Amino acid sequence: LGWMNYWTSITAAPSYFATTENQWEETFFEYLPWHVFADTSTRVIDPFWFGLPEGGAIPWDGWIAAIGQWLGVSLGMVVFGLCLIVLFQKQWVENEKLTFPLAQMPLDLTRGIDAARRVPDIFRTSAFWVGFAVVFLAILYNIGTYFATGLPPLELFWESYDLRFSEDIVFSIRVLPLVLALTYLCPVDILGSLIVFHWLAVLKRALMTRMGFALDGFGAGAGAGSAEPLKIIFMESYGALIFIGVWSVWLARRHLRQVWQQVHSGRGDCGEVRRYRVAVAGLVLSGAWVVGWGVGLGMSLPLAVASFTLMVMSYFVTAKLVAATGFAYLLPNKTQVKGNSFIIDLIGSVHLSPRSLVAYKVFTSNAFFGTFRIPAWPALPHCLRLFSLSQPGRLTTAILAAFLVGFLVAALATIVLAYDGGGHLFLGGKANWVFDDTVHLMNNPVQPALSKWGVWLFGFAEAAIIAVLRGYFHWFPLHPIGLAFQNTFGVRLYWFSLFIVWVVKLTLLRYGGVKAFRKGKPFFYGLAIGYVVGVILSNMVDLIWFPAKGHHVHGW
């Protein structure tokens, strides 16, 4: 529903929130692709924001066209992602040997369930139940505080705390058992890199703020509370992110050459040849469909191709790195996930026509294929890892059907909630910033600046040097993933959870080797299962005894 809150808000906002003060109508209404928005009649829009009168019917006819437009192009993105990952999956599994923790954990938890005792092997280990008890008993105690209000709640597993060294050096402390369990399967060099580069990012930002460090093109002068140091760090990270995408393709060059030879010549395993040919065809057709949809919004063809390519690069890198780490909160910065940093800041909005700029802002808004929480793509490598590709048709059908149902259920439920109680209550004007930013860019075009290119290229070069050092020295401890995600939301919030796992894994591997690591796995799995069971139990208690006001037990 997070994506749908933005989608419904954006598609219903322009005609309703336009005022003389915000200058929406006179600035961009003539360029707006109205065919992808909800019907602008007051019959459709007004009750969406204020709620229907008693006995009123939802005007679905005003939404059908918009739902069809966005669902169609979103399915195109899912098909493109699936085809792309099919082409790379063998490289990731056999050559790069990614760990796929999100797929490995359910396999481990169900291993042995088909034996005579019908109980998974891991459930018969004492370490699993110790980990389970550590978390579940804490949540059970917390459930007791619902009834004995004098008892202090234990909020360790669902609250974030600040570790403050100074006004500008602050670290967030958050312990989430699910993160502990999944990242236990993550390689220690990646864990260490995420932690170390985050520490460095906090220190870099504090140092730039205290020095008043400023670069032309990054906004107003730096100082206490200035966002300029953060923008510089984000641009550095974006350079590293793009390098990882290029590097990933370079590492797979031999595999991709073999794939093309199979597709072109037809020689090789019949099933594999057929699979790759379908994947290449799907890649071309779905890519053309999404780019064509962007052109239909009003973008020029080069802008549509560039926007789509940058978006695919961010999604591809994120999907691969989630497959390598199991860290589902590995989320790119919002300005990077759809290429805004490159097109607006590096190329410059001054080079875009008004129609292209307005269409670009719609295409890269949160209405299109989610926010920085990327839908579908991060799960695709794990689906391919879990389920055999011997019957690719069934797997593809299941993935597309799941996305289709999820999109429609979320979209329809959000629309019903808005008409039932009024969109103002839970949507407010959260989409307005998209259109306000469009007005700002049209009135204040962004010029490309050498300083921005310098920071971007510096991040690209840093990541390249780290990759080269890893290639020449097997002991080199850092990975460019840490630089690319050094100050992203998930790392800022969960670095301490990663730190706990990192210290434990280093200790186990140093003093007990792989055998000790394997023995520790049931304990960490127990933490996750204890957390899930505890959250379910808490929700059941709330439904029975506290239906009007539940208790917070899980969140960011």
Side-chain angles (χ1 to χ4, degrees):
L1 286 176
W3 171 16
M4 288 300 112
N5 285 348
Y6 283 102
W7 177 78
T8 51
S9 297
I10 290 171
T11 52
S15 61
Y16 180 78
F17 285 104
T19 64
T20 304
E21 290 76 17
N22 61 33
Q23 300 180 343
W24 291 4
E25 185 171 357
E26 54 266 41
T27 304
F28 63 77
F29 268 27
E30 63 179 301
Y31 308 114
L32 203 63
W34 291 104
H35 62 283
V36 301
F37 287 80
D39 190 306
T40 58
S41 66
T42 56
R43 176 183 65 88
V44 175
I45 297 300
D46 285 359
F48 175 85
W49 292 106
F50 287 107
L52 284 166
E54 188 174 352
I58 296 176
W60 288 110
D61 58 299
W63 286 91
I64 291 175
I67 292 173
Q69 286 274 351
W70 294 93
L71 174 58
V73 72
S74 297
L75 280 170
M77 286 297 296
V78 176
V79 171
F80 189 92
L82 179 59
C83 294
L84 183 66
I85 290 169
V86 164
L87 296 178
F88 277 87
Q89 187 77 2
K90 187 175 181 180
Q91 162 73 17
W92 293 351
V93 173
E94 296 183 4
N95 299 331
E96 298 185 40
K97 300 190 184 302
L98 304 188
T99 54
F100 297 91
L102 295 176
Q104 188 60 45
M105 183 175 175
L107 291 175
D108 290 339
L109 288 172
T110 55
R111 185 171 290 112
I113 199 170
D114 53 352
R117 297 180 61 179
R118 299 292 180 182
V119 177
D121 296 339
I122 202 166
F123 281 65
R124 298 201 294 269
T125 63
S126 58
F128 174 86
W129 292 108
V130 171
F132 181 93
V134 167
V135 177
F136 181 75
L137 292 179
I139 297 178
L140 194 62
Y141 165 81
N142 235 40
I143 294 173
T145 66
Y146 302 169
F147 302 93
T149 55
L151 291 175
L154 181 61
E155 299 175 330
L156 174 64
F157 297 125
W158 45 81
E159 289 295 334
S160 177
Y161 306 92
D162 285 342
L163 179 62
R164 188 177 296 273
F165 293 96
S166 66
E167 184 178 347
D168 49 9
I169 302 180
V170 183
F171 293 92
S172 178
I173 303 296
R174 175 78 165 92
V175 179
L176 184 62
L178 295 175
V179 171
L180 298 177
L182 288 166
T183 56
Y184 185 75
L185 302 178
C186 176
V188 290
D189 60 334
I190 294 180
L191 284 173
S193 298
L194 289 169
I195 297 161
V196 169
F197 278 106
H198 175 61
W199 289 348
L200 291 175
V202 173
L203 295 177
K204 283 188 293 187
R205 183 182 182 186
L207 185 61
M208 284 189 285
T209 300
R210 293 183 182 188
M211 293 176 62
F213 184 79
L215 288 174
D216 292 338
F218 280 95
S226 172
E228 182 171 358
L230 191 58
K231 291 179 181 178
I232 293 173
I233 290 171
F234 284 171
M235 189 61 76
E236 179 191 21
S237 295
Y238 192 43
L241 182 76
I242 295 299
F243 169 78
I244 293 176
V246 174
W247 183 44
S248 296
V249 175
W250 173 255
L251 289 176
R253 63 192 183 280
R254 292 187 180 87
H255 166 72
L256 294 177
R257 191 181 301 118
Q258 292 171 359
V259 168
W260 175 246
Q261 288 172 352
Q262 288 180 287
V263 170
H264 184 258
S265 67
R267 291 193 295 270
D269 178 79
C270 293
E272 199 169 71
V273 169
R274 189 183 309 113
R275 181 163 65 247
Y276 286 147
R277 283 180 168 176
V278 171
V280 170
L283 202 71
V284 172
L285 293 175
S286 59
W289 161 242
V290 177
V291 170
W293 191 83
V295 172
L297 294 179
M299 286 193 289
S300 65
L301 180 59
L303 178 61
V305 171
S307 302
F308 176 67
T309 302
L310 291 167
M311 198 178 298
V312 165
M313 185 70 80
S314 296
Y315 290 0
F316 171 73
V317 169
T318 303
K320 177 184 178 181
L321 295 181
V322 171
T325 65
F327 186 39
Y329 294 97
L330 203 62
L331 311 169
N333 290 310
K334 293 180 181 179
T335 57
Q336 300 168 3
V337 69
K338 295 180 181 177
N340 275 286
S341 290
F342 200 97
I343 298 296
I344 300 299
D345 293 319
L346 296 180
I347 302 300
S349 65
V350 69
H351 299 300
L352 305 180
S353 68
R355 186 172 300 279
S356 280
L357 177 60
V358 172
Y360 175 77
K361 292 300 292 182
V362 173
F363 187 73
T364 58
S365 71
N366 289 342
F368 178 60
F369 212 62
T371 62
F372 71 135
R373 289 174 286 177
I374 301 169
W377 280 47
L380 294 176
H382 298 86
C383 291
L384 298 180
R385 182 65 171 156
L386 275 170
F387 303 104
S388 172
L389 276 174
S390 58
Q391 296 179 316
R394 290 187 179 183
L395 180 58
T396 302
T397 301
I399 290 171
L400 295 181
F403 183 84
L404 173 68
V405 171
F407 183 100
L408 289 175
V409 169
L412 299 180
T414 306
I415 292 171
V416 169
L417 284 172
Y419 280 104
D420 184 54
H424 272 297
L425 292 178
F426 68 100
L427 297 174
K430 71 190 310 178
N432 292 4
W433 65 270
V434 176
F435 303 108
D436 288 337
D437 192 45
T438 302
V439 172
H440 177 76
L441 286 172
M442 294 182 75
N443 292 331
N444 305 274
V446 176
Q447 295 277 357
L450 287 176
S451 58
K452 294 179 181 178
W453 277 103
V455 173
W456 186 86
L457 289 170
F458 181 70
F460 190 97
E462 283 182 288
I465 291 171
I466 293 171
V468 169
L469 290 174
R470 285 176 59 83
Y472 278 99
F473 305 104
H474 67 88
W475 49 262
F476 190 75
L478 297 179
H479 191 289
I481 181 179
L483 183 63
F485 291 85
Q486 61 182 319
N487 203 45
T488 54
F489 174 78
V491 176
R492 286 199 309 271
L493 188 58
Y494 292 112
W495 74 267
F496 188 71
S497 293
L498 301 179
F499 178 76
I500 293 173
V501 177
W502 183 49
V503 171
V504 171
K505 282 194 69 173
L506 282 176
T507 304
L508 291 176
L509 291 172
R510 173 66 178 83
Y511 296 103
V514 175
K515 185 177 181 180
F517 165 74
R518 289 174 178 168
K519 286 187 176 180
K521 190 188 296 186
F523 173 82
F524 279 85
Y525 284 0
L527 296 176
I529 301 303
Y531 183 79
V532 171
V533 172
V535 169
I536 293 173
L537 179 61
S538 177
N539 286 329
M540 291 175 61
V541 170
D542 281 342
L543 287 172
I544 298 172
W545 284 283
F546 306 96
K549 187 177 180 181
H551 297 83
H552 173 68
V553 290
H554 179 68
W556 287 110

